[in-house]
Amino acid sequence: MSIEQQVAEHYGRRDLASDILGALERAGKDIDRLRPDDLAPIDEFHIRGREATDELGRALGLEAALTVLDVGSGLGGPSRRLADVHGCRIVGIDLTDEYCRTATVLADRVGLGGVVEYRQGSALDMPFAAASFDRVYTQHVAMNIADKPRLYAEIARVLKPGGLFGLYDLLQGPGGTVHFPVPWARDPATSFLATPDELRGLLADSGLEVVGWRDTSADGRAWFQSLRDRLASEGPPPIGFHLLLGPDFRDMARNQVRNLEEQRILPTEVVCRRV
């Protein structure tokens, strides 16, 4: 299989929307009257969850008049959150067809079907005309993409001159190679972390000028500690990422924390301007 096929297989599960809606119903939610907050436990598949999404939205200066692209939109949580808060129209593209179908179902359920749209496709060959978007963002996506020069060149192509690109991704830290499995990969075959210096070079080569850079590792460690405390007092939630990744998720989560604490991964927020 190609790398993209392996990545899609890692994330793909059949009838995911039914699993999520069923879990919500068992948790006492009225699935015919869902609110965006009801989906929060499964909506933000990245370190620091909704907090990180909100920060990225503010950093990009999102507002209703802007056209926005979410590259690697997953289940659509960040796009639904940002569209709901800022009133902007967002298009999401994701490699996994089941994620796009599920994202569409969930958007309709929370009344956002008219402002968010999801399309299956590759971030390396996006079906959009040049200079189509005022803003583009990715969250915890590039770790699965080997051809990063092509990824950032595609992002720059679809972004309007002067437009902003925001990324919140995991970079390779100084602590050594990653412990597997992790939420984005079960083994090194589909994991491709760039170092901070490599990322700076890739962005510059693509015509993307860095205007903001923040290592959020300390915030990430504090977030995980808060999560551990909450689980100890309240127990596991009825809906969570185990629905996406199955029984391996416990080991993945444990390694994610270890990798962060040992500086093997660096969660980093970067904002760039299209030159």
Side-chain angles (χ1 to χ4, degrees):
M1 287 188 293
S2 69
I3 290 172
E4 287 193 334
Q5 288 173 322
Q6 292 178 65
V7 170
E9 186 175 272
H10 171 75
Y11 291 108
R13 290 188 62 184
R14 299 187 66 179
D15 210 14
L16 187 54
S18 294
D19 289 346
I20 293 171
L21 292 173
L24 286 166
E25 194 166 32
R26 290 191 295 273
K29 303 295 183 183
D30 183 347
I31 61 173
D32 294 320
R33 297 182 179 180
L34 290 176
R35 298 172 297 120
D37 283 349
D38 293 330
L39 300 175
I42 205 167
D43 254 359
E44 311 281 351
F45 196 20
H46 48 259
I47 295 172
R48 297 176 55 235
R50 181 159 288 179
E51 179 182 344
T53 296
D54 288 344
E55 287 178 358
L56 190 59
R58 290 192 295 270
L60 290 173
L62 297 186
E63 57 185 41
L66 300 176
T67 55
V68 183
L69 175 65
D70 180 339
V71 179
S73 50
L75 295 179
S79 57
R80 287 191 295 272
R81 172 65 175 178
L82 295 174
D84 188 40
V85 171
H86 299 282
C88 49
R89 176 173 172 77
I90 300 181
V91 177
I93 183 170
D94 197 89
L95 189 61
T96 306
D97 191 47
E98 182 64 17
Y99 274 19
C100 294
R101 286 196 295 268
T102 302
T104 300
V105 169
L106 297 179
D108 289 341
R109 289 278 180 162
V110 299
L112 291 170
V115 292
V116 292
E117 171 192 352
Y118 304 101
R119 300 179 62 175
Q120 191 278 332
S122 170
L124 303 180
D125 185 19
M126 293 190 282
F128 308 115
S132 294
F133 297 94
D134 300 295
R135 302 286 189 269
V136 178
Y137 68 87
T138 67
Q139 289 185 292
H140 284 29
V141 169
M143 308 98 66
N144 283 129
I145 298 177
D147 193 350
K148 288 180 172 55
R150 187 170 175 183
L151 167 66
Y152 295 121
E154 267 293 273
I155 287 170
R157 181 185 68 81
V158 301
L159 186 60
K160 295 178 182 178
L164 297 180
F165 165 53
L167 68 87
Y168 175 54
D169 273 319
L170 298 180
L171 304 184
Q172 176 64 56
T177 56
V178 167
H179 298 296
F180 291 94
V182 286
W184 73 89
R186 286 179 166 82
D187 57 56
T190 54
S191 177
F192 310 98
L193 300 187
T195 67
D197 285 345
E198 288 170 344
L199 179 59
R200 288 183 183 275
L202 287 163
L203 295 171
D205 289 346
S206 300
L208 297 165
E209 177 189 9
V210 173
V211 296
W213 185 290
R214 191 164 71 92
D215 181 337
T216 64
S217 296
D219 294 333
R221 290 190 291 270
W223 181 78
F224 272 119
Q225 183 58 56
S226 175
L227 181 60
R228 283 193 290 260
D229 293 343
R230 188 164 65 251
L231 289 174
S233 64
E234 302 175 7
I239 178 173
F241 298 126
H242 60 279
L243 291 175
L244 309 183
L245 297 173
D248 290 343
F249 181 69
R250 184 182 296 272
D251 290 336
M252 293 175 177
R254 186 180 298 114
N255 283 335
Q256 186 85 314
V257 174
R258 182 182 176 188
N259 288 321
L260 180 61
E261 291 177 342
E262 296 177 359
Q263 290 192 298
R264 296 172 187 269
I265 57 174
L266 302 174
T268 304
E269 178 191 275
V270 182
V271 177
C272 305
R273 189 179 306 279
R274 175 71 170 97
V275 178

